[in-house]
Amino acid sequence: MEIGILTELYETKTHERVILIGVGMDTQRSLQELEQLCSTAQLEVVGVFNQKIEPDNRSYCGKGKAEELRLAVIEFGADAVIADDELSPKQVESLEDALDTKVIDRTAVILDIFAARAKSSEGKIQVELAQQKYLYSRLTGSRTGLSRLGGGIGTRGPGEKKLETDRRHIRNRISELEDELESIRRHRQLQRRSRTNSGFKTVALMGYTNAGKSSLLTALTGSLTYSENILFATLDTLTRVMENDKGLNVLIADTVGFIDKLPHKLIDAFRSTLEESIEADLLLHVVDVSAEDYDVQMDVADKVLEELNANQKKIYVFNKIDNVDPLPLYRKDPCCYISAKNGDGIEELKEMILETLSQGIQRLTFVIPYDKSGVVNRLFADGNILSTEYNDVGTVITAEIQADKVYLYQEFIAE
Ligand SMILES: Nc1nc2c(ncn2[C@@H]2O[C@H](COP(=O)(O)OP(=O)(O)OP(=O)(O)O)[C@@H](O)[C@H]2O)c(=O)[nH]1
Ligand SMILES: [Mg+2]
């Protein structure tokens, strides 16, 4: 079904032929990933080039390399050159002049994929916001940087029909979108508060794209999710209940994955989606241990989490153990080894989740005199209420409550 959305968006366009260029001391891994991103974006990669120098602030690559690229564009009939780093307007301008073709960057490809995959209205607003910001930044150069963009890659998706070269128009649209997102964010906050108040604990699945987060959501909750062997299969947050016999109300939230050099505009735009996870009680950092570079992926995802100030309890979940033998050594703790595909380790992971969530929770019975209805209300907000009865002294409430809040109700604890 998702593929349908892609083809619908892309079928009117012939597959663009692109040449990739990475500049830096170690470009191999990132360029391979860019190739994967291009294939997800339905682009045909006809050449890959790299240069082992620090990227130049003005021209990105060196003169000789630029000439090599210019000739390759002609030889392979390429429609565009894609740089593996986010380019400044100056760099775009200088490269386009030197190569005489459209130049875009890794950020544009990621935005394009997001644009084609966004389904919910929130997702679409977030992507459009990131796209408009991207277009805006390309317009801050000395000339109208969009002149060569024309159509195709770099201009597709929700933002496409609104592609405007008028900076003021883009600025207005950006503030409109920001307002819409702010009201969605407030709505989400209210939802979260009411969930917390009704005693729900939230566990967020985070990690590199394609690590198996959506598959794990299925394994933990039994609900069907969309998972596929492509980058950024999931863009929206999906939350499901994890049944358990400990009497805990547990929600698991799946969300968008991370990638190396994730555009900042995108992180900002997706903040309201990500907040859902950032404010969870527990994070599961899902890692695909069968990926050759899983250690790098793990560090990249940890760094994004750090940037998002997500510093709650975390369990590293090493996934896809069915696909690797022997298990690789690099690990971080606390961790657990699983296969979301065949179910290995899932029960152990569930135990770990429940144990972590119930740490610091005490089950107590309180007797609250009838003239202290305010205390009852507060306890309903603070605790997970298991039963309520009435005797001749007051309301008898059995509740689970965080240890650090018990002192507030000390005088009411039943003998
Ligand atoms: N062999 C194996 N494959 C798995 C396992 N878990 C997930 N996969 C596969 O890995 C691919 C990605 O899985 P998803 O669950 O979509 O991964 P994700 O982390 O949600 O990815 P995005 O939403 O794109 O960020 C799919 O093809 C899954 O079938 C596993 O335990 N073993
Ligand atoms: Mg997913």
Side-chain angles (χ1 to χ4, degrees):
M1 191 177 73
E2 320 300 331
I3 294 301
I5 295 172
L6 274 176
T7 34
E8 196 182 305
L9 262 169
Y10 290 112
E11 69 192 352
T12 51
K13 318 214 162 84
T14 49
H15 284 197
E16 279 176 273
R17 296 161 67 80
V18 296
I19 289 176
L20 315 184
I21 167 79
V23 176
M25 288 311 158
D26 187 13
T27 52
Q28 197 195 358
R29 188 196 102 82
S30 188
L31 273 171
Q32 272 172 3
E33 198 167 72
L34 182 60
E35 273 196 78
Q36 253 181 299
L37 287 166
C38 286
S39 101
T40 305
Q42 312 255 301
L43 299 167
E44 191 185 340
V45 177
V46 293
V48 182
F49 290 77
N50 71 343
Q51 188 173 26
K52 279 197 164 82
I53 55 165
E54 286 303 323
D56 184 82
N57 281 343
R58 300 192 134 258
S59 60
Y60 186 55
C61 64
K63 258 205 177 124
K65 188 55 71 175
E67 181 56 15
E68 210 181 309
L69 284 167
R70 190 183 69 82
L71 295 175
V73 167
I74 297 169
E75 189 185 341
F76 299 121
D79 302 296
V81 170
I82 304 183
D84 194 30
D85 296 281
E86 186 159 343
L87 298 176
S88 69
K90 261 235 146 38
Q91 289 172 319
V92 172
E93 198 176 316
S94 139
L95 272 176
E96 286 191 337
D97 285 344
L99 308 182
D100 201 23
T101 192
K102 175 165 91 173
V103 172
I104 54 163
D105 56 19
R106 184 182 174 99
T107 300
V109 179
I110 295 176
L111 287 178
D112 240 66
I113 295 172
F114 272 61
R117 307 202 62 80
K119 287 194 298 280
S120 71
S121 61
E122 180 179 13
K124 285 183 179 150
I125 295 172
Q126 295 180 125
V127 176
E128 193 192 333
L129 177 60
Q131 281 185 314
Q132 296 285 1
K133 285 190 171 169
Y134 179 74
L135 291 178
Y136 190 77
S137 74
R138 288 200 58 160
L139 281 173
T140 49
S142 52
R143 69 160 187 229
T144 51
L146 297 180
S147 56
R148 281 184 205 252
L149 271 182
I153 180 83
T155 63
R156 286 189 280 235
E160 179 177 19
K161 55 185 177 296
K162 293 165 194 99
L163 179 63
E164 271 272 3
T165 49
D166 180 0
R167 293 178 57 190
R168 196 166 41 128
H169 180 92
I170 296 184
R171 238 186 1 236
N172 290 343
R173 184 71 191 141
I174 287 175
S175 66
E176 239 172 64
L177 291 165
E178 279 174 340
D179 287 349
E180 279 180 61
L181 273 183
E182 182 54 30
S183 76
I184 293 177
R185 206 172 66 86
R186 274 199 299 267
H187 177 71
R188 273 187 182 278
Q189 257 171 358
L190 284 178
Q191 271 184 335
R192 265 201 304 277
R193 209 165 299 155
S194 85
R195 275 205 309 253
T196 317
N197 289 348
S198 39
F200 273 99
K201 294 276 174 197
T202 317
V203 179
L205 299 167
M206 305 288 256
Y208 215 75
T209 180
N210 215 38
K213 300 176 294 299
S214 303
S215 309
L216 179 56
L217 182 71
T218 304
L220 288 173
T221 67
S223 68
L224 279 184
T225 55
Y226 175 66
S227 71
E228 209 198 318
N229 193 15
I230 56 168
L231 304 181
F232 300 118
T234 308
L235 285 192
D236 298 308
T237 300
L238 184 68
T239 304
R240 290 286 175 269
V241 172
M242 184 181 96
E243 305 287 351
N244 63 86
D245 51 16
K246 296 270 189 316
L248 285 178
N249 295 320
V250 182
L251 289 173
I252 314 270
D254 176 29
T255 190
V256 57
F258 304 145
I259 197 165
D260 201 3
K261 306 182 190 171
L262 191 65
H264 261 271
K265 296 176 188 75
L266 212 52
I267 298 187
D268 282 348
F270 270 73
R271 209 161 264 277
S272 80
T273 297
L274 290 169
E275 257 175 21
E276 190 83 3
S277 306
I278 300 162
E279 295 187 5
D281 300 286
L282 170 67
L283 289 182
L284 300 185
H285 179 163
V286 186
V287 182
D288 171 1
V289 274
S290 71
E292 211 177 302
D293 56 352
Y294 83 97
D295 50 340
V296 182
Q297 298 191 355
M298 203 166 142
D299 292 341
V300 166
D302 266 336
K303 218 174 280 162
V304 180
L305 288 175
E306 226 171 83
E307 272 175 49
L308 291 167
N309 286 327
N311 42 21
Q312 60 272 69
K313 284 182 200 155
K314 181 157 67 180
I315 298 174
Y316 290 91
V317 180
F318 295 118
N319 187 30
K320 307 198 191 179
I321 56 168
D322 59 285
N323 208 19
V324 63
D325 187 30
L327 285 176
L329 293 175
Y330 180 65
R331 60 184 264 182
K332 290 186 186 174
D333 286 306
C335 73
C336 138
Y337 290 86
I338 64 149
S339 163
K341 191 173 174 181
N342 67 19
D344 280 352
I346 295 295
E347 282 313 309
E348 289 84 343
L349 175 59
K350 274 190 180 173
E351 283 299 314
M352 267 177 104
I353 293 172
L354 295 172
E355 197 174 300
T356 313
L357 289 179
S358 50
Q359 267 165 16
I361 290 182
Q362 291 189 15
R363 182 178 291 207
L364 293 165
T365 300
F366 305 92
V367 183
I368 302 166
Y370 289 117
D371 61 349
K372 299 237 191 279
S373 61
V375 177
V376 173
N377 291 342
R378 204 148 31 88
L379 183 57
F380 267 74
D382 281 347
N384 177 26
I385 308 302
L386 302 174
S387 72
T388 310
E389 283 163 36
Y390 305 93
N391 68 14
D392 48 356
V393 184
T395 316
V396 183
I397 299 174
T398 301
E400 282 172 343
I401 181 169
Q402 286 290 345
D404 59 359
K405 287 206 167 143
V406 169
Y407 77 98
L408 292 169
Y409 306 94
Q410 200 68 42
E411 58 184 299
F412 306 112
I413 296 175
E415 294 290 302

